[in-house]
Amino acid sequence: MNISKTGVISKYEESFLQYLAGFTDADGNLDFSIRGSKNSFHFLAKWTVSQKDPWVLRTIKRDLGIGWLYKNKSDQWFLEVSGPKATQLIYQLYPYLVLKQQRATFITKHSNYLKLTKEEALRIRNEFLTIEQEANPSLYSVPWLAGFFDGDGY
């Protein structure tokens, strides 16, 4: 186990998290959905990466030990983690993300919202959609660049 920059104990090596952050910045998505009915809604985090060739996604899934691998109708492969495991993963990736750090901050900040009204859920969703992605070049690292190239270069 390792302790990340956030102080969280992680079973992942720092270089793997940097690589995965680069891959996520290149070809991934940090998102969430609001689930529920009537006046009780909750927050569900989602981390997704995609590629035409599933090989690298299978390798990432194996190394993460979590996730769901699937192919859409356009022959694009996706690796997805959702729910509390996605929140944990996003939290661990946060210090290494260069392009999507603001989205990660928002998701981890709101992940504890278990009971929301419909109005609160819509307000949070609309706020998320206005986040501008700004690069933080001080976070570039060799593993991040390798992940970014693998995510965008295939």
Side-chain angles (χ1 to χ4, degrees):
M1 280 199 220
N2 303 294
I3 299 179
S4 72
K5 288 182 181 179
T6 57
V8 172
I9 295 176
S10 173
K11 67 179 183 177
Y12 309 118
E13 295 288 332
E14 184 177 32
S15 60
F16 175 70
L17 291 172
Q18 290 172 336
Y19 172 88
L20 197 54
F23 200 96
T24 302
D25 275 331
D27 209 14
N29 189 32
L30 307 178
D31 201 357
F32 68 91
S33 59
I34 303 288
R35 301 283 173 97
S37 59
K38 294 190 181 182
N39 289 329
S40 181
F41 294 84
H42 64 276
F43 185 93
L44 184 70
K46 186 166 73 169
W47 171 87
T48 311
V49 289
S50 64
Q51 288 286 292
K52 287 280 187 193
D53 183 350
W55 178 84
V56 71
L57 298 180
R58 286 188 180 115
T59 303
I60 291 170
K61 182 182 185 303
R62 182 200 67 212
D63 292 349
L64 280 175
I66 55 175
W68 178 47
L69 187 64
Y70 62 94
K71 182 169 74 167
N72 70 6
K73 293 177 184 176
S74 302
D75 288 333
Q76 184 79 6
W77 285 88
F78 294 86
L79 175 59
E80 180 180 308
V81 178
S82 61
K85 289 181 180 181
T87 302
Q88 293 170 359
L89 178 60
I90 292 167
Y91 188 75
Q92 291 180 60
L93 291 175
Y94 165 80
Y96 311 109
L97 291 165
V98 172
L99 302 175
K100 296 181 175 151
Q101 201 171 59
Q102 291 83 3
R103 285 181 162 234
T105 300
F106 190 93
I107 289 169
T108 56
K109 175 183 171 188
H110 292 87
S111 64
N112 294 324
Y113 289 11
L114 300 176
K115 291 192 176 184
L116 300 166
T117 65
K118 185 176 183 177
E119 292 77 25
E120 290 170 326
L122 290 172
R123 180 188 55 77
I124 289 169
R125 185 69 187 163
N126 289 336
E127 187 180 335
F128 180 76
L129 294 173
T130 64
I131 294 173
E132 296 287 328
Q133 295 186 59
E134 297 175 16
N136 186 349
S138 67
L139 298 173
Y140 292 133
S141 66
V142 172
W144 182 90
L145 288 168
F148 192 85
F149 177 77
D150 283 354
D152 206 37
Y154 265 86

